[in-house]
Amino acid sequence: MFYYVPGVQQHPRALVWGAWTAASPHAGYDVGAGWSTLAKHYGFALLLPEPQPSNNVNTCVNWFNPEIIASERGEAC
């Protein structure tokens, strides 16, 4: 899990949850997309989950599987 909380946040505070489907680590996704820079500039908190191989051998978010993205269970939980 990667997270970033800037020193100064906007009001109301916002949280951006970034999910991607490629097998790239969260740090590479952050640098490549510039999320932390945007979070610092616009004052929002950032959360980039990184699935484990036990959830998906490709370490991808299983957004396509209804059983996994259901509320209160699976990766959403």
Side-chain angles (χ1 to χ4, degrees):
M1 184 80 63
F2 173 83
Y3 68 92
Y4 175 79
V5 180
V8 178
Q9 293 182 328
Q10 295 175 347
H11 294 282
R13 291 184 173 102
L15 170 66
V16 171
W17 180 77
W20 63 103
T21 59
S24 61
H26 54 17
Y29 179 57
D30 175 48
V31 171
W35 281 113
S36 292
T37 301
L38 292 169
K40 183 176 182 180
H41 180 77
Y42 291 106
F44 60 82
L46 174 64
L47 178 65
L48 301 176
E50 183 175 336
Q52 299 301 306
S54 59
N55 294 345
N56 183 310
V57 295
N58 295 318
T59 63
C60 297
V61 174
N62 294 307
W63 58 268
F64 52 85
N65 189 332
E67 292 82 32
I68 290 181
I69 62 168
S71 179
E72 301 296 325
R73 63 180 189 197
E75 290 181 0
C77 186

